Amino acid sequence: MHVLLGSFAFMCIFPFLYVIIISISNEQSLAENGYQLIPEQWSLDAYKYLWDMKAQVLQAYGVTIFVTVVGTFLSVTVISMYAYAISRKQFKFRKQFTFIAFFTMLFSGGMVPFYIVMTQFLDLKNTMWALILPMAVNAFYIIIMRTFFLRSVPEAILESARIDGAGEMRIFLTIVLPLSIPGIATIALFSTLAYWNDWFNALLFIDDPNKIPLQSLLMRIENNMDFIKQNAMLSNQNSAILKSIPQDSARMAMVVIATLPIALSYPFFQKYFIKGLTIGGVKD
Amino acid sequence: MKKIGILSLVLLLLTGVLAACSGGGSEKSSGDSTDEEVKLTWYMIGTPQKDTKDVMKEVNKYTKEKINATIDMKMLDWGEYNDRMQVITTSGENYDIAFTSSWANNYALNARKGAFLGLNDLMDKYGKDMKKLIDPAFLEGAQIDGELYAVPANKEVGQQAVLSFNNELVKKHNLDISNVNSIADLEPLLKVIKEKEKNVTPIATFDAYLPFDSILQEELPFAFRLDGDTDEVVNKYEEEITMETLKTMHEYYKKGYIQKDAATSTDSWPLETPNWFVRKEIYQPYAEDVWSRSAGYEIVTRELHEPYIFNNSVTGSMQAISATSKNPERSMMFLNLLNSDEYLRNLLDKGIKGTHYEENEDGTIKDLPARVENYNMPSFAIGNQLILKLYEDDPKDKWEKFEEFNKNSTPSPALGFYFDSNPVRTEIAAISNVTSEFSPALLKGAVDPEEYLPAFNKKLKEAGMEKVLDEIQKQYDEWKKKQ
């Protein structure tokens, strides 16, 4: 059993190790021999290349961190409040609000209406909000959180708090939240990952190069490579296109710096994570 | 009680929507007059550059003075441009000018959809200066049913495929390329290279050249012949010449002149790495100089055919005015300036004098490091190339040569015929799928055409090839009558 699990874990982590190895290989030996597990020559050129464009990379890093922190905070706040409200029997429109959240899981307007709402009604083009708001509320997490509150916060505690004269807000902040830390940590982790890895919203709404998050920077390079593949004729005439593509090892180095921080933060969440998921997984 | 809850919610949402709708004021187009200052949004293709802001400041000073308009240029990267513009067009977003072409933000498709304004009248009124400069072949060839929907950038109007050679190797082995006129003539040269140069792949992967004018994308089967019966649409993969050419390519592949993984390789064969002997390129006057310069060693070319004017070459780079534009007149005035005013055109292309380039006494220029690093613009995509300043190492007669090249280009039989693919959309989607499965391997020589071409054609038939060919023929005949 241990051997099985161990080999499975290795299979999961191996691609990432490979990426790290490629990022510290010499470009010349990559060109000659393709990707190798143990390259002929090591080199840190790729990281030097990133260091040279540090202004852009740091800017993108800043955007990613800002969006992730603010976004996670906002989405945890909104989701837990919404979920708490619909978990309380005293709330009259509980069923309707549950339905409204649930409905969005089944039907969505599609990309173009979403784009129209974001750009023309809310006028969020080229703002940080365009990266934060679309992912702030997730119906599925609301349902998970609601179940979590129902299970882990006994009605009796709320009763006693009310008898002691606490208001709704106070009950929520000082009693319900501390009791539900595992659930909240789970949602927070999901949100953090989602925000960190999101590139699609930036592709749709951001034209200002200073507001591009890190993953989008990577995605742009990938998209440009696809484009060159399809329009080889064009790119030969216009070296400007080719100049926008970093080399293999540099691309892998970008993947490393984009993934490493989030991969390293995972262990800190883990202890909550195990509890949170099992409890939230039951629907009543 | 339940009902009231939902009702009040619906009302709440509705009021929100209504409030948002009434927010957009309806500005009137300013028409002829330039009394009122306007801001034009311009979507451009290319990697966003650091110094764009500074350059646009200068541009706006100038355009404000000339036509009382400021330009907000938004650059979207190569790989994103197409998807982004699709969303922008579908959502009916308001913008003024956008880059369009046969290969990104598709010109014919968008023009038919009504996404672009028809420009004939606007051009006559506000585009007089550029009309004088742009080669008439562009203005005629890019018309769809008699109306022009975008302003073509004046450049080489014809398309000519050439074989280019790494001259270092040609000289080293005393090879004679003067009688190479087709892919088949390469055999003896490739043989020498294969034997004597261990680290060189003789052929830098390319798709075989086939003498057809393709409808829609290059690799799709529908095409018109360039000689013989040119009025009949054919499946180019059933033609004799295709079989022969692909056989030659496969021969080369078997002999190891072509990379083993040619069919799936994504290698872009950068010129800087001299690990190749021959490749296929699209030519424009003095292109060999440009290539040699970026390669760092000499590159020489042999033409595969006379330059032809195809739909794809006249719609290779254009600027359209959006149907949603609030200021079409002012947009046209700007495009007119962009394509006829040397100062503005060079400013957008080369950047600011003294910062991005230096000018010599004879009017030629030299790039400064700042241009290469912070303002590297896709020159061909902006507008008229023939009013650009020459670099000090450019030949003096570069633009004259372009004009000559344009004069000597032969219009293809289907030039100006833009097929409307709507009636056979499903078939075309199926055919595209089949094509992407077979054509890369076939065109690059990786598989045996005697075996794979018939299989390919059988699958094309199953996908509805006949129906599409009939539809194209029908539309072509109608179009031909009107000519």
Side-chain angles (χ1 to χ4, degrees):
Chain A
M1 195 64 207
H2 280 298
V3 177
L4 254 177
L5 283 178
S7 61
F8 182 72
F10 181 72
M11 275 196 307
C12 294
I13 209 158
F14 177 73
F16 194 63
L17 283 177
Y18 207 8
V19 166
I20 296 181
I21 289 170
I22 294 165
S23 78
I24 47 178
S25 310
N26 179 310
E27 192 60 40
Q28 195 63 36
S29 67
L30 278 181
E32 282 165 14
N33 319 317
Y35 298 156
Q36 291 170 309
L37 264 184
I38 299 180
E40 273 174 29
Q41 283 177 307
W42 304 91
S43 102
L44 285 174
D45 282 353
Y47 291 91
K48 274 206 197 75
Y49 170 88
L50 285 186
W51 184 248
D52 290 340
M53 31 181 286
K54 63 178 174 294
Q56 200 185 0
V57 173
L58 283 174
Q59 178 75 19
Y61 235 118
V63 171
T64 297
I65 290 169
F66 175 81
V67 166
T68 305
V69 171
V70 175
T72 304
F73 180 76
L74 185 82
S75 90
V76 167
T77 312
V78 175
I79 289 174
S80 58
M81 284 181 165
Y82 195 117
Y84 175 65
I86 60 173
S87 75
R88 294 292 306 275
K89 298 258 189 311
Q90 298 91 323
F91 179 47
K92 213 185 289 176
F93 300 118
R94 187 160 73 97
K95 285 247 172 10
Q96 285 83 347
F97 276 96
T98 311
F99 176 76
I100 288 168
F102 182 64
F103 186 78
T104 60
M105 286 168 71
L106 304 177
F107 301 99
S108 80
M111 194 173 81
V112 171
F114 166 57
Y115 183 85
I116 292 175
V117 168
M118 288 288 291
T119 54
Q120 291 171 30
F121 289 172
L122 304 174
D123 208 9
L124 292 177
K125 223 174 162 177
N126 260 330
T127 59
M128 289 289 175
W129 289 114
L131 300 178
I132 293 170
L133 288 182
M135 300 196 304
V137 179
N138 179 317
F140 186 63
Y141 300 163
I142 289 178
I143 309 275
I144 288 185
M145 265 328 265
R146 185 198 62 150
T147 317
F148 193 92
F149 285 134
L150 283 174
R151 308 253 143 213
S152 65
V153 185
E155 191 67 25
I157 295 186
L158 303 178
E159 285 287 338
S160 66
R162 213 163 301 126
I163 288 163
D164 287 343
E168 284 296 340
M169 203 66 201
R170 184 153 177 190
I171 293 178
F172 177 66
L173 289 177
T174 55
I175 296 174
V176 178
L177 282 189
L179 282 174
S180 344
I181 280 195
I184 297 217
T186 308
I187 303 290
L189 175 79
F190 284 157
S191 295
T192 307
L193 283 177
Y195 277 113
W196 188 274
N197 290 327
D198 170 57
W199 52 269
F200 189 70
N201 287 316
L203 175 103
L204 281 183
F205 303 113
I206 306 284
D207 326 324
D208 180 349
N210 292 329
K211 292 183 181 151
I212 297 278
L214 201 55
Q215 301 286 1
S216 295
L217 209 63
L218 272 171
M219 207 57 209
R220 264 180 194 199
I221 292 168
E222 291 299 316
N223 284 337
N224 282 357
M225 284 174 58
D226 284 346
F227 178 83
I228 286 181
K229 212 168 79 184
Q230 284 161 4
N231 300 285
M233 281 297 153
L234 195 81
S235 53
N236 293 340
Q237 285 199 356
N238 306 292
S239 53
I241 309 181
L242 288 172
K243 281 210 170 62
S244 68
I245 307 286
Q247 292 180 300
D248 260 347
S249 56
R251 286 205 301 276
M252 295 301 174
M254 280 183 92
V255 175
V256 172
I257 61 162
T259 335
L260 213 54
I262 206 82
L264 291 178
S265 69
Y266 179 76
F268 297 102
F269 277 105
Q270 192 173 7
K271 60 177 185 204
Y272 305 110
F273 198 57
I274 294 166
K275 258 196 231 152
L277 265 186
T278 49
I279 297 170
V282 188
K283 263 195 78 185
D284 65 331
Chain B
M1 208 64 235
K2 206 197 261 184
K3 278 206 179 108
I4 290 174
I6 290 193
L7 244 166
S8 59
L9 236 154
V10 168
L11 277 176
L12 199 89
L13 285 173
L14 266 178
T15 45
V17 170
L18 286 175
C21 285
S22 57
S26 54
E27 294 163 48
K28 272 214 184 65
S29 165
S30 51
D32 278 0
S33 81
T34 52
D35 303 345
E36 207 181 328
E37 188 186 328
V38 296
K39 185 170 138 186
L40 304 173
T41 309
W42 177 22
Y43 284 108
M44 247 310 277
I45 194 167
T47 310
Q49 298 295 315
K50 256 205 210 82
D51 288 358
T52 303
K53 266 205 186 86
D54 308 345
V55 175
M56 287 318 283
K57 263 204 201 97
E58 293 295 314
V59 167
N60 286 334
K61 263 189 220 154
Y62 191 72
T63 50
K64 200 165 149 35
E65 186 187 320
K66 284 270 183 190
I67 55 171
N68 200 12
T70 56
I71 316 297
D72 177 14
M73 181 176 69
K74 297 180 172 173
M75 281 191 98
L76 305 173
D77 220 325
W78 300 102
E80 289 176 4
Y81 188 78
N82 205 16
D83 298 347
R84 264 302 280 285
M85 285 316 291
Q86 253 174 354
V87 177
I88 287 167
T89 307
T90 325
S91 70
E93 190 174 306
N94 154 356
Y95 70 93
D96 298 293
I97 303 170
F99 175 86
T100 169
S101 68
S102 52
W103 45 270
N105 195 17
N106 190 295
Y107 168 68
L109 216 70
N110 280 305
R112 281 195 198 282
K113 261 202 308 214
F116 299 154
L117 277 186
L119 300 183
N120 288 8
D121 298 349
L122 280 173
M123 191 115 166
D124 291 335
K125 249 180 164 161
Y126 308 106
K128 292 193 186 81
D129 307 336
M130 66 177 167
K131 234 180 151 158
K132 281 191 211 111
L133 296 174
I134 299 173
D135 193 297
F138 277 113
L139 299 173
E140 280 156 35
Q143 287 188 3
I144 298 182
D145 305 331
E147 181 86 31
L148 189 68
Y149 290 92
V151 177
N154 199 23
K155 55 187 187 66
E156 74 284 6
V157 75
Q159 193 173 323
Q160 180 178 35
V162 294
L163 289 169
S164 49
F165 296 86
N166 175 342
N167 206 28
E168 303 279 299
L169 293 173
V170 175
K171 282 194 298 218
K172 185 171 163 189
H173 300 289
N174 290 322
L175 299 169
D176 177 18
I177 57 167
S178 61
N179 48 19
V180 174
N181 297 312
S182 71
I183 293 176
D185 298 339
L186 289 168
E187 166 68 31
L189 313 181
L190 296 171
K191 200 167 168 201
V192 173
I193 298 292
K194 177 78 195 163
E195 279 166 14
K196 296 192 174 159
E197 294 285 345
K198 282 288 159 278
N199 294 331
V200 171
T201 313
I203 292 181
T205 317
F206 59 71
D207 287 353
Y209 165 72
L210 300 169
F212 296 98
D213 182 358
S214 303
I215 305 293
L216 308 171
Q217 286 98 9
E218 198 69 44
E219 64 276 6
L220 288 177
F222 339 104
F224 286 93
R225 297 189 190 99
L226 292 175
D227 40 30
D229 181 359
T230 56
D231 278 345
E232 178 204 9
V233 69
V234 293
N235 167 2
K236 67 174 149 194
Y237 295 110
E238 281 177 336
E239 297 286 290
E240 194 58 39
I241 181 90
T242 307
M243 183 57 114
E244 269 172 52
T245 312
L246 296 187
K247 265 192 198 158
T248 311
M249 287 296 279
H250 187 56
E251 234 10 71
Y252 292 167
Y253 181 79
K254 279 195 298 206
K255 288 179 179 162
Y257 302 158
I258 299 176
Q259 258 194 324
K260 277 281 161 280
D261 62 350
T264 53
S265 160
T266 56
D267 202 333
S268 58
W269 296 94
L271 285 167
E272 297 85 19
T273 328
N275 59 351
W276 57 280
F277 170 67
V278 62
R279 64 206 295 157
K280 190 183 78 172
E281 299 279 14
I282 298 289
Y283 189 73
Q284 50 170 231
Y286 291 119
E288 59 272 57
D289 295 0
V290 177
W291 294 331
S292 301
R293 217 180 307 154
S294 65
Y297 51 90
E298 202 182 0
I299 287 175
V300 286
T301 60
R302 290 289 305 168
E303 52 192 56
L304 283 164
H305 62 93
E306 288 300 300
Y308 274 105
I309 307 175
F310 296 122
N311 280 353
N312 286 352
S313 60
V314 293
T315 58
S317 160
M318 322 170 81
Q319 302 290 349
I321 296 178
S322 167
T324 59
S325 166
K326 293 199 172 95
N327 295 293
E329 296 84 4
R330 211 73 67 89
S331 302
M332 184 49 98
M333 291 176 202
F334 171 69
L335 288 177
N336 185 45
L337 272 187
L338 178 67
N339 285 293
S340 61
D341 184 303
E342 285 187 27
Y343 169 76
L344 178 71
R345 179 68 185 86
N346 280 292
L347 176 61
L348 263 168
D349 202 292
K350 313 284 182 215
I352 301 163
K353 189 167 156 184
T355 312
H356 298 107
Y357 68 90
E358 277 172 350
E359 191 159 345
N360 303 328
E361 306 220 328
D362 60 353
T364 58
I365 57 166
K366 182 166 87 207
D367 275 344
L368 293 170
R371 175 160 193 265
V372 183
E373 283 156 30
N374 305 332
Y375 198 68
N376 194 343
M377 293 290 271
S379 189
F380 78 101
I382 301 176
N384 189 349
Q385 286 199 273
L386 276 55
I387 52 173
L388 283 174
K389 292 184 168 131
L390 291 171
Y391 284 103
E392 50 188 14
D393 41 12
D394 273 332
K396 289 278 168 289
D397 62 348
K398 184 172 175 180
W399 302 134
E400 286 77 29
K401 271 276 189 299
F402 266 70
E403 278 165 13
E404 201 178 311
F405 180 85
N406 289 353
K407 271 200 198 72
N408 296 333
S409 302
T410 324
S412 126
L415 175 65
F417 166 63
Y418 291 91
F419 173 57
D420 177 6
S421 57
N422 264 331
V424 283
R425 252 205 331 249
T426 31
E427 285 82 3
I428 288 185
I431 288 169
S432 289
N433 284 338
V434 176
T435 306
S436 56
E437 178 188 344
F438 280 93
S439 76
L442 274 166
L443 291 173
K444 294 185 172 79
V447 292
D448 183 2
E450 302 220 291
E451 179 187 343
Y452 279 84
L453 265 180
F456 183 18
N457 285 321
K458 187 164 158 283
K459 280 217 168 168
L460 284 174
K461 272 212 172 50
E462 286 162 12
M465 188 73 199
E466 288 306 313
K467 193 174 163 191
V468 179
L469 286 178
D470 290 345
E471 179 66 32
I472 296 177
Q473 193 66 54
K474 191 183 94 194
Q475 287 187 26
Y476 177 81
D477 292 340
E478 275 167 24
W479 170 82
K480 192 82 186 168
K481 262 193 234 125
K482 287 190 207 146
Q483 297 308 303

